[in-house]
Amino acid sequence: QVQLVESGGGLVQAGGSLKVSCAASGSVSRIDAMGWYRQAPGKQREWVARIGNTYRNYAESVKGRFTISRSNTKDSVDLQMNSLKPEDTAVYYCHARDGFATYWGQGTQVTVSS
């Protein structure tokens, strides 16, 4: 089992920056990938970014603005968000997977004002 706890959300003006973080606990040695999803009001949850041992991938909508990073101990993942836009407003969810299951955090709100 893996538990995920996000932090770092908040309110920022358009063009600003914010970092959200996710701390993993439990069987973290089994985790092979971590990432971020987001869900805006009235919309489906969408994938934002993921990081594995040899790759980092980004959704087109955030490429060049967001950077995902993970600790060497694989027990935390950050998402640095720059040049934020109002359309980035959403609840951001941390995601992790091991060979057996996928795990989700409770989410952290990011609000970008215009």
Side-chain angles (χ1 to χ4, degrees):
Q1 284 285 345
V2 173
Q3 295 79 43
L4 304 172
V5 178
E6 300 98 334
S7 61
L11 173 65
V12 65
Q13 288 188 333
S17 298
L18 202 62
K19 185 172 75 172
V20 290
S21 299
C22 174
S25 60
S27 301
V28 297
S29 62
R30 295 179 176 179
I31 295 175
D32 57 25
M34 298 184 75
W36 291 90
Y37 285 69
R38 67 186 181 186
Q39 187 167 19
K43 295 188 177 181
Q44 289 189 332
R45 190 173 296 189
E46 65 174 358
W47 167 69
V48 175
R50 69 170 64 93
I51 184 168
N53 290 333
T54 59
Y55 62 86
R56 300 182 193 192
N57 301 129
Y58 299 91
E60 284 297 323
S61 59
V62 306
K63 196 174 291 185
R65 300 188 297 122
F66 291 12
T67 302
I68 190 170
S69 60
R70 188 172 69 174
S71 66
N72 290 335
T73 51
K74 299 182 180 181
D75 59 358
S76 67
V77 63
D78 294 334
L79 186 69
Q80 176 66 45
M81 302 180 289
N82 299 328
S83 302
L84 282 161
K85 305 174 181 180
E87 51 263 44
D88 294 317
T89 295
V91 177
Y92 283 70
Y93 295 92
C94 181
H95 171 268
R97 70 169 194 228
D98 57 23
F100 305 93
T102 58
Y103 307 93
W104 295 93
Q106 81 287 351
T108 185
Q109 178 70 47
V110 171
T111 302
V112 184
S113 63
S114 57

